[in-house]
Amino acid sequence: MGDEIKQVVIMRTDLKMGRGKMAAQAGHAFVMGAERVRLTHPDWHADWWDGGQKKIVLKVSGLGSLRGLKMDVIRAGLPYAEVSDAGHTQLEPGTVTCMSVGPAPENAVDRVTGGLPLL
Amino acid sequence: MGDEIKQVVIMRTDLKMGRGKMAAQAGHAFVMGAERVRLTHPDWHADWWDGGQKKIVLKVSGLGSLRGLKMDVIRAGLPYAEVSDAGHTQLEPGTVTCMSVGPAPENAVDRVTGGLPLL
């Protein structure tokens, strides 16, 4: 289990986003994060792809928590992708809605995100 | 607008999925669909990527509607990816949860999915 490769998205729940908007924003984070790791860690990407592309979506209550988490992710040296909404619908342009961590080894991801609840 | 490249995910709403589960399933569809189009229609993929990766999530009420839609997508010659849940949580293994259409030209996508409501 510990060697599995996993991708996590952490979603803000303090914005006026319905479930469809959240799913689309998570999609941005999943796609951009996976594309980065495909280029920077092709071995992780291949293991993740062949192993069923494990994905999970967690939540934070606001921008402060997301920024704090991002600091921890950077300190841990994990790949991430932050999503800013274009603002065509529902949100102000440039609003940070969520971020991805990984795909990366599960142990390392959990060390940073393990305390967060499921969305 | 009509020449924009767009990716759509169509989600079943008749399964016992919370918003986090839906977001993860949509993530599978977005990532697999984008990866296919990167290989089969690199020009569409590049336009979509550079144009901000337009994404939207729509809904259907059940498996029958999703299967009917898939037939129409195939007839229209559009790229798609269907997601089956591994069944680790919440659902029976192999349950089809959602599908992606595109990234592909917006006019062609809308001709098939334009009547569906937002998730």
Side-chain angles (χ1 to χ4, degrees), chain B residues 5 37-38 41-52:
Chain B
I5 304 294
V37 170
R38 199 175 63 82
H41 299 81
D43 48 339
W44 289 355
H45 190 275
D47 285 355
W48 174 72
W49 193 269
D50 296 342

Side-chain angles (χ1 to χ4, degrees), chain A residues 92-109:
Chain A
E92 287 298 304
T95 305
V96 175
T97 57
C98 62
M99 68 179 285
S100 65
V101 183
E106 184 155 43
N107 279 345
V109 174

Side-chain angles (χ1 to χ4, degrees), chain A residues 18-21 23-24 89-90, chain B residues 6-11 13 22 54-60 113-119:
Chain A
R19 63 185 182 179
K21 179 80 178 177
T89 55
Q90 298 185 37
Chain B
K6 179 168 76 169
Q7 189 181 24
V8 169
V9 164
I10 302 102
M11 182 70 57
T13 56
M22 283 184 178
K54 188 169 185 180
K55 290 186 187 67
I56 198 159
V57 185
L58 307 173
K59 64 180 171 184
V60 288
T113 66
L116 297 175
L118 290 170
L119 173 65

Side-chain angles (χ1 to χ4, degrees), chain A residues 13 25 31 78 87 105:
Chain A
T13 56
Q25 295 292 309
V31 170
L78 288 168

Side-chain angles (χ1 to χ4, degrees), chain A residues 7 13 19-20 22-24 26-28 30-32 34-35 38 48-49 52-57 59 119, chain B residues 7 13 19-20 22-24 26-28 30-32 34-35 38 48-49 52-57 59 119:
Chain A
Q7 189 180 24
T13 56
R19 63 185 182 179
M22 283 186 178
H28 284 301
F30 279 125
V31 170
M32 286 195 298
E35 180 65 12
R38 197 175 65 79
W48 174 73
W49 193 269
Q53 305 147 46
K54 189 169 184 180
K55 289 186 187 69
I56 198 159
V57 185
K59 65 180 172 185
L119 173 65
Chain B
Q7 189 181 24
T13 56
R19 62 185 182 179
M22 283 184 178
H28 284 302
F30 279 125
V31 171
M32 286 195 296
E35 180 65 12
R38 199 175 63 82
W48 174 72
W49 193 269
Q53 305 146 47
K54 188 169 185 180
K55 290 186 187 67
I56 198 159
V57 185
K59 64 180 171 184
L119 173 65

Side-chain angles (χ1 to χ4, degrees), chain A residues 52-118:
Chain A
Q53 305 147 46
K54 189 169 184 180
K55 289 186 187 69
I56 198 159
V57 185
L58 307 173
K59 65 180 172 185
V60 288
S61 58
L63 183 59
S65 304
L66 196 63
R67 285 197 168 140
L69 189 78
K70 181 180 164 185
M71 299 282 284
D72 293 337
V73 167
I74 291 169
R75 274 193 209 100
L78 288 168
Y80 69 96
E82 198 174 55
V83 176
S84 297
D85 191 62
H88 297 307
T89 55
Q90 298 185 37
L91 301 176
E92 287 298 304
T95 305
V96 175
T97 57
C98 62
M99 68 179 285
S100 65
V101 183
E106 184 155 43
N107 279 345
V109 174
D110 285 351
R111 221 169 290 136
V112 182
T113 66
L116 298 175
L118 291 169

Side-chain angles (χ1 to χ4, degrees), chain A residues 4-24:
Chain A
E4 245 186 310
I5 305 294
K6 179 167 77 171
Q7 189 180 24
V8 169
V9 164
I10 302 101
M11 182 70 58
R12 284 178 66 181
T13 56
D14 60 315
L15 300 170
K16 289 189 194 312
M17 295 192 284
R19 63 185 182 179
K21 179 80 178 177
M22 283 186 178

